[in-house]
Amino acid sequence: MRTGNLVVAAGALLVLGAWTPAQGPQPFRAGVDVVPIYATVRGSNGAFVPDLTREDFEIKDNGVRRDVIVFSREIVPITVTVMLDVSYSLESGILWTRDAGRAFVDAMLPVDRARIGTFGREIAISPRLTSDKGYLHRVLSDEVWPGGETPLWNALDRAMTSLRDQSGRRVILTLTDGLNSVRRSAARLSFSAVRERVLDEGFMVYAVGRHVPLDRFASVNQMAYNGLGLDMRELAVESGGGYHVLGSAVSPEAAMREVADELHHQYVLGFTPTAMDGKVHKLEVKMKRRGMSVQARKSYLAVR
Amino acid sequence: MIARLAVLAAAALLPLSGMAYQVVAPIAIYVDEAASSLVERDYTVTVDEMRVPVTTVSRGPQPLSAIVLLDVSDSLRLGPLVEIRRLSGVARPGDTIRVGTFADRVAIGSTAIVNGASAAQAEREVRQTGGASPLWDAICASVDALREAGGLRVVVVFSDALPTGNDRSFDETYDMVIRSGVMVSVLGIGDDGLRLDGKMQVIGRNDNLRRLAHDTGGEYGELRDPKAEVDVPARMLIGQINRLRGRTRLEFLPPVRDGAVHRVSVAIDGRSIGGPLWMRF
């Protein structure tokens, strides 16, 4: 799909600093097309760097340097669909998943909104995008059932659809212990189709994986990317999100809090594109200061 | 087993303080004791442990207003599934029996099944292929659809009881059902009856549906054979509906009408014939 949600009006981003939940994200056209970027900056010690200015960033669109015309370091409310892999056959896996989901909900701020989804035998997403932690905890307690395959790409596609009417930063966070695995579904989606949608529509993807015991029949791919497939890792990075792979003895709470914390510490940057040519543009965001690393999406679709 | 509450046209006067009276309509419940020799005085109905008079006994068949609510979610994609066309002979004169399905959406059909053609039409109205399991939302929608119906109002649920994608919780659903007076009757799937492509035995999976059926006076049954022929679940549902239709309707005068939920029991000669169930009046 190439619906091009990535380019928004300048006015939409310029009001981010004064955004309130009651107002909601209300994009409007101000005559100037702006490409939004949500960027995470860390120092050499891995900690977030909170006090940067627009002059600290450098943006290149297809190799051409662009001015940062929109800048904000205010907290951007999280709009997220959390997709939990429930294809485990072991009870411990389900408990791990529930605990991880709860940790993320607990880390949400009052302005954040989430849906909870699961994938395994079914792909299901709670119908309400909400800040109500009681509601989200209820879903985690009552509607997480183990079993089935791992329709990872279909699940991500459904998660994107669940947020398609939202504007601004839209996040998909998935917890999974493995690779995409769907044997019977005739409607299974490919990684490339999901990747295209993620990048074209500007979703930000985070993944938290977990090492699982492998038997001697495990494939080379399974052994190399135990906990999170290579495709999933690449997609997360490419979208401007990120991933964590946890050992089986590691509590997931810290990883989930880390994701929420990261989303609460992202800078909002915006620039005018070199051309609205309907093509995918390569995007580079760099820090001018040394000792810092920046994480942001690697491309955007220049569609009006 | 005893069943549901209904407000009748005929009213009685319930004395309040002083000279004041409250107009009280009798309440109806449905029991599966159908001995023809029994009359009003043979039944003992108690409301919150207080005996109340039975005013009318009406033997079956009772006119049914039913929604047969079928789980067609992906968790049942390996079966068993109920083919709606197999329900074509379920209705009797006076019945209004419709079907609903739930998966990625909740669909409640408008066509009453009276024959094969109407069953085919009903099937077209609610057809969908797989998805989540918004069981509680579907029961609430079914109860809403029966709100103005007459006769014995019942939602007959067929599900593997793995709810997902619900907006409403079970507790909200339970409260709504009890307040509505609609009976919930259940054909569940026992652990042995699940056709699984991976291990999944969840302790207490059917508990909430069992509780709904029990507390509203409905039946609770389980399909236990994973290799059952395709017509088996439909036949079990029809059997359940036929037994509900054959129940005896008792009307009694409630001691209060305070809008609260009350515990109601029915006995014959000191022998409980079901319940207690919970009614709001």
Side-chain angles (χ1 to χ4, degrees), chain A residues 3-54:
Chain A
T3 54
N5 185 301
L6 300 190
V7 182
V8 299
L13 286 165
L14 291 168
V15 300
L16 279 173
W19 213 349
T20 66
Q23 294 168 324
Q26 299 290 329
F28 59 91
R29 302 201 74 79
V32 180
D33 290 310
V34 173
V35 178
I37 301 171
Y38 300 92
T40 305
V41 181
R42 295 175 189 272
S44 55
N45 59 357
F48 299 116
V49 182
D51 54 357
L52 300 172
T53 66
R54 74 176 69 202

Side-chain angles (χ1 to χ4, degrees), chain B residues 175-186:
Chain B
D175 187 60
M176 181 196 181
V177 171
I178 294 295
R179 287 176 180 278
S180 73
V182 171
M183 178 193 293
V184 175
S185 200
V186 176

Side-chain angles (χ1 to χ4, degrees), chain A residues 31-292:
Chain A
V32 180
D33 290 310
V34 173
V35 178
I37 301 171
Y38 300 92
T40 305
V41 181
R42 295 175 189 272
S44 55
N45 59 357
F48 299 116
V49 182
D51 54 357
L52 300 172
T53 66
R54 74 176 69 202
E55 288 72 29
D56 292 311
F57 292 88
E58 180 180 298
I59 297 174
K60 287 185 179 177
D61 178 0
N62 273 345
V64 178
R65 187 169 173 174
R66 309 301 296 168
D67 290 337
V68 180
I69 66 166
V70 173
F71 177 85
S72 172
R73 55 189 176 206
E74 300 292 319
I75 290 177
V76 179
I78 298 174
T79 302
V80 63
T81 294
V82 181
M83 294 302 290
L84 308 173
D85 179 350
V86 293
S87 64
Y88 311 104
S89 58
L90 298 175
E91 187 184 17
S92 61
I94 282 298
L95 296 177
W96 183 89
T97 301
R98 278 206 185 107
D99 288 347
R102 287 173 177 145
F104 185 83
V105 170
D106 288 340
M108 287 170 56
L109 298 176
V111 293
D112 298 333
R113 296 175 301 155
R115 282 193 169 97
I116 303 292
T118 57
F119 57 102
R121 188 164 280 103
E122 301 174 349
I123 298 172
I125 298 175
S126 59
R128 203 183 302 179
L129 181 65
T130 182
S131 304
D132 183 344
K133 293 187 179 184
Y135 178 94
L136 297 169
H137 278 298
R138 191 271 296 168
V139 173
L140 287 164
S141 295
D142 297 351
E143 305 204 348
V144 178
W145 303 97
E149 300 166 336
T150 310
L152 179 57
W153 307 136
N154 285 61
L156 292 189
D157 186 67
R158 290 281 302 278
M160 286 188 277
T161 300
S162 77
L163 296 177
R164 69 182 164 197
D165 295 332
Q166 305 301 314
S167 55
R169 185 184 59 185
R170 301 171 298 175
V171 179
I172 310 296
L173 167 59
T174 183
L175 287 87
T176 178
D177 73 340
L179 306 167
N180 185 62
S181 152
V182 186
R183 290 187 297 268
R184 295 187 179 83
S185 172
R188 62 188 176 199
L189 288 170
S190 67
F191 167 68
S192 60
V194 171
R195 175 182 175 275
E196 182 174 282
R197 184 175 182 190
V198 166
L199 301 180
D200 287 0
E201 298 185 31
F203 287 96
M204 181 176 282
V205 177
Y206 283 85
V208 176
R210 180 195 189 203
H211 281 290
V212 293
L214 294 177
D215 61 27
R216 62 195 175 94
F217 301 110
S219 67
V220 172
N221 198 29
Q222 282 176 310
M223 287 187 283
Y225 300 108
N226 186 0
L228 209 56
L230 177 62
D231 290 342
M232 190 70 244
R233 298 177 196 217
E234 287 181 351
L235 179 62
V237 171
E238 213 173 353
S239 72
Y243 66 86
H244 299 265
V245 182
L246 308 178
S248 57
V250 177
S251 160
E253 282 87 343
M256 302 306 289
R257 279 194 295 270
E258 170 84 8
V259 172
D261 206 25
E262 183 171 316
L263 289 166
H264 289 139
H265 285 86
Q266 287 181 335
Y267 290 90
V268 183
L269 313 173
F271 68 96
T272 55
T274 51
M276 303 303 292
D277 52 11
K279 295 179 180 176
V280 175
H281 289 215
K282 184 183 176 189
L283 199 54
E284 294 171 86
V285 181
K286 292 182 178 175
M287 302 308 299
K288 293 177 181 173
R289 292 200 225 171
R290 291 189 174 184
M292 294 181 193

Side-chain angles (χ1 to χ4, degrees), chain B residues 1 30 57 62 69 94 151 157 167 171 213:
Chain B
M1 296 287 285
Y30 294 84
V57 175
Q62 308 294 341
L69 185 59
V157 182
D167 194 42
D171 288 343

